[in-house]
Amino acid sequence: MTKYTQHILVIRLSAMGDVAMSVPVLRALTTQYPILKVTVLTRPFFKPFFRDLDQVSVFGADLKGEHKGVFGLYKLSKSLKVLSVDAVADIHNVLRTKILKMFFLGTAFVQIDKGRAEKKALTKGIVFKALPTTVERYAEVFKKLGFPVNLSQPTFPKAVVLSEKLQTITGNHDVKWIGIAPFAAHDSKMYPIHKMEIVIEALSKEYNVFLFGGGAKEVEILNGFQSKFNNVVNLAGQLNFNEELDIISNLDVMLSMDSGNGHMAAMLGKKVITIWGVTHPFAGFAPFNQPDDYALTADREKFPRIPTSIYGNTFPEGYEKASGTIAPETIVNKIKSVI
């Protein structure tokens, strides 16, 4: 198929971390196959992820409006067919994309193998071993389409020159910059806030610390840290998505939970230290191109059923405290060792 295919439609509708993990794969794909044109079908919000990939364009899916339901997906498929794609790489493989597949009869359409049985065995305690990473599973889809991708020597974009507005917020880069994203979709994946405060205080004595978050409650907590410690800046609520990526591209290291912020930093080539609660990197969701020891995991002697689920949404009583078994000093020392 390589000889004939020039335009690939890549489908990854959500979630943030999973979309971010597609970026280094698409960067490698388009670098190694410069003749290719790639269109990514995803939510419009994620378009900035692909801003430095010249061969990649984004088609925004309005899944809550125009493209909602079966009839909406049919309408979406008609719009996509106008693009005259030669093949479809479905790296999401959910009900919506299965429906879209029906509308692409006659077009090469390869769907990701999510390894659901393997992941179920991992969370049920039947096996405890590292599964293929999500990035590797993405690459396998392109291999099946005739485009094997070498991920062993990844390249990343240069740090963005910050605008005057952002320089006013960040100040000079005369000491190392550390990003910290202390929140996650589920409390069971979060490091205890009172212990994170210890980490922030310790790091702020030597480095500039930038805090990332989202909702009103998170902003309030992060504002508290900013007012309490020198060299700490809360970025939550101040930036648009492009500006946030600009600052992340200038970080020296990112500290995050098992969450999208870690994947965003990794796709930009940053060092990423991750904290894991009831989830575990063995499920394949560790940030791209990071050494194994950059993932700090909870004590499985005290919490032997980890990983309790793939996404951290289900867990036995008391397991929400699992990440607290990682000492603040362990986190601080790890960051100092890699920065």
Side-chain angles (χ1 to χ4, degrees), residues 157-170:
K158 294 181 180 179
V160 173
V161 177
L162 298 182
S163 67
E164 185 175 336
K165 170 191 171 181
L166 295 183
Q167 289 182 44
T168 301
I169 294 172
T170 62

Side-chain angles (χ1 to χ4, degrees), residues 170-178 203-210 231 250-253 339:
T170 62
N172 296 325
H173 203 151
D174 48 0
V175 296
K176 299 288 187 179
W177 285 9
I178 300 174
L203 293 172
S204 67
K205 293 177 180 178
E206 298 181 48
Y207 312 106
N208 285 342
V209 176
F210 298 99
N231 306 318
N250 282 273
L251 295 177
D252 294 288
V253 64
I339 201 168

Side-chain angles (χ1 to χ4, degrees), residues 11-13 41 73 90-102 104 109 111:
I11 304 175
R12 181 69 236 193
L13 301 172
L41 176 65
L73 291 173
D90 177 8
I91 59 173
H92 199 170
N93 195 355
V94 292
L95 180 59
R96 284 191 179 103
T97 65
K98 293 179 194 296
I99 294 172
L100 275 176
K101 183 179 181 180
M102 296 167 54
F104 275 91
F109 198 114
Q111 293 180 293

